[in-house]
Amino acid sequence: MATRRIVEIGDEKLRKQAKPVSKFDLRLRILLKDMADTMYKANGVGLAAPQVGILRRVVVVDIGEGLIELVNPVITDAQGEQSGPEGCLSVPGRQGLVIRPEKVTVKAQNARGEDVEYHAEGFLARAFCHELDHLDGILYVDKMEREIFPEEEQEDKEAKE
Ligand code: ZN
């Protein structure tokens, strides 16, 4: 297992446009493996290559339903709306309320350069949108309706009990 250092908000690499991948070689497979290892170790549900300092259009996502590797991903359709809490491994200790599409279609390539397509809804759609934004230098804090504070979560829990 090889993990990479996650860059945090304030690092200019998080604000740059990532470049498309054209070579589906061993180097790409190692990057994908390292990104998955890094995501799992950090207990994240997604990670984009710029978050480990690599400005390439590569994303890994696992919301608990298995690993999804996306190379050169594009959202080709988006429908509906959902509002919910979002965090980011590059923005540690914070959460915000973000509006995202309820459903998205994502076209991408896999590690071998084959075309893949995902129809995602709910939390997976949110994860895709969040990670794809990273490839264009966008962080959830740019889009959030407002910050969510830890004491607020506590109040919510108490209210439910
Ligand atoms: Zn993020």
Side-chain angles (χ1 to χ4, degrees):
M1 186 170 113
T3 59
R4 302 196 186 192
R5 190 178 68 86
I6 296 174
V7 300
E8 295 183 356
I9 188 167
D11 189 310
E12 62 173 23
K13 282 195 168 156
L14 289 174
R15 294 310 195 169
K16 292 193 171 155
Q17 191 81 13
K19 294 189 183 77
V21 171
S22 53
K23 283 187 200 160
F24 293 83
D25 54 6
L26 177 62
R27 197 171 169 185
L28 174 67
R29 291 197 294 279
I30 291 169
L31 174 63
L32 282 161
K33 177 71 169 60
D34 286 359
M35 284 173 61
D37 287 347
T38 305
M39 171 182 73
Y40 290 127
K41 193 184 170 204
N43 293 315
V45 296
L47 193 71
Q51 291 183 275
V52 292
I54 306 291
L55 293 173
R56 290 286 168 186
R57 304 190 79 81
V58 177
V59 158
V60 293
V61 170
D62 189 343
I63 62 161
E65 297 172 354
L67 179 65
I68 297 172
E69 298 175 330
L70 301 173
V71 180
N72 301 326
V74 179
I75 292 172
T76 56
D77 188 44
Q79 283 174 28
E81 201 177 271
Q82 58 171 316
S83 175
E86 219 165 282
C88 179
L89 294 175
S90 294
V91 189
R94 290 174 61 185
Q95 267 203 322
L97 193 72
V98 187
I99 294 170
R100 299 285 190 186
E102 174 59 26
K103 292 182 182 181
V104 293
T105 302
V106 173
K107 285 188 177 168
Q109 288 161 291
N110 64 18
R112 292 181 298 279
E114 298 159 347
D115 291 336
V116 291
E117 187 176 77
Y118 291 92
H119 298 274
E121 53 182 276
F123 190 58
L124 184 59
R126 173 178 297 281
F128 281 164
C129 291
H130 177 113
E131 298 312 327
L132 267 62
D133 271 353
H134 275 298
L135 304 180
D136 295 322
I138 300 165
L139 299 176
Y140 85 83
V141 291
D142 306 335
K143 296 188 161 182
M144 69 179 178
E145 301 297 302
R146 60 179 178 83
E147 192 92 24
I148 298 171
F149 296 100
E151 52 273 25
E152 199 179 337
E153 259 181 282
Q154 198 57 40
E155 281 166 25
D156 283 352
K157 266 182 214 154
E158 281 164 12
K160 275 177 207 152
E161 277 164 13

